[in-house]
Amino acid sequence: MRHPILMCICVGSAFALSACDDKAGKADVDRALSDLNVVDESNLGDVMLTVADPNESVKYFQRTLGEKPDRIDVRRGLAQSLIRAKRHTEAVAAWKNVVEHEKSTNDDQVEYADALIRNNEWKRADEVLDSVPPTHETFKRYRLEAMIADSNQNWKKADSFYETAIGLTTTPASVMNNWGYSKLTRGDFPAAERLFTDAIRQDDSLFTAKNNLVLARGAQKKYSLPVLQTSQEERAQLLYTLGLSAIKQGDTSIGKGLLRDAIDTHPQHFEAAARSLQALENNVE
């Protein structure tokens, strides 16, 4: 009688072990699928932050955040998408939500300050950056510090921060352009011209720096275009800017000549330059 009982015990144990194996296997599969889903979501998130339409990206991260409100990477994704979509008021709230997360970093605080500046909240941005430890030395932090110092007309600090920021990046063109514009607003035209020239040397596709360079030269009554890589339309625009600068300086005849050059250079009808020239000639008459 003992043999059948022993056999039953053995068979029962086998089924129990089989069930355990099935449960363990299912758990492993679920865990693997969960990890795979996280990777897939991460890849999709990267796509949404780079090539997707900004507003579609916002919808994606809003939907995902509704499902997983505690994921800090999703919070960041939404905040970054709102910046890309130029929805700055919403971006400020989104970045505030990021920095309130227990896993937020100093970089998140810097991004929060950036969003505040974009929303024209300079004082709050200054307070946020002041809360970031001074040991957190990054390009973006110093660039924002320089911009805030500029807004406060603290030129000495601004110059120091711009110089530090340039030393922390391999692509300093945009910072040089900002620094040059700061010098331009202060009336230091030679320094502004040097910085705009340096910016263009770093990135000759930066049309804003080219236009600013022409403004700096025009303020010094230098009415010739420097040697620059430009399209025909860009060259016409620079001539137009230089013409307006000459007129502002009181050199009306030179300004009229530059406006005519701008109209002749433009590959299409240059409405703004033609209107300015006509108004100028009517006024003279």
Side-chain angles (χ1 to χ4, degrees), residues 137-139 141-147 149-150 154-168 175 179 182-183 186:
E137 299 181 305
T138 64
F139 162 70
R141 192 251 176 92
Y142 280 110
R143 182 180 184 181
L144 297 182
E145 294 276 19
M147 292 167 65
D150 257 344
N154 191 333
W155 310 130
K156 187 174 181 180
K157 282 183 74 173
D159 288 342
S160 175
F161 286 137
Y162 277 126
E163 188 173 9
T164 302
I166 287 172
L168 292 172
V175 185
W179 194 3
S182 173
K183 294 285 190 180
R186 304 179 213 175

Side-chain angles (χ1 to χ4, degrees), residues 7-8 40 68 70 79 103 204 217 225 232 269:
M7 185 176 292
C8 288
D40 288 344
K68 300 167 183 175
D70 293 330
K103 293 182 179 178
D204 63 7
R217 288 175 60 84
L225 288 183
Q232 196 174 349
H269 177 61

Side-chain angles (χ1 to χ4, degrees), residues 182-202:
S182 173
K183 294 285 190 180
L184 189 65
T185 58
R186 304 179 213 175
D188 190 350
F189 305 127
E193 183 180 356
R194 285 194 300 273
L195 283 162
F196 293 137
T197 301
D198 289 341
I200 296 164
R201 188 180 299 115
Q202 291 286 333

Side-chain angles (χ1 to χ4, degrees), residues 90-114:
E90 295 170 83
V92 166
W95 275 114
K96 186 173 185 293
N97 194 31
V98 172
V99 300
E100 288 173 349
H101 195 283
E102 60 181 6
K103 293 182 179 178
S104 67
T105 66
N106 289 325
D107 283 329
D108 293 326
Q109 292 279 1
V110 172
E111 295 294 343
Y112 181 30
D114 176 71

Side-chain angles (χ1 to χ4, degrees), residues 223-235:
Y223 298 132
S224 60
L225 288 183
V227 178
L228 296 170
Q229 282 284 108
T230 60
S231 66
Q232 196 174 349
E233 187 172 343
E234 286 177 336
R235 186 173 180 82

Side-chain angles (χ1 to χ4, degrees), residues 207-229:
F207 180 74
T208 305
K210 296 173 186 177
N211 203 57
N212 287 338
L213 173 60
V214 167
L215 285 172
R217 288 175 60 84
Q220 299 172 79
K221 297 200 172 192
K222 297 178 180 179
Y223 298 132
S224 60
L225 288 183
V227 178
L228 296 170
Q229 282 284 108

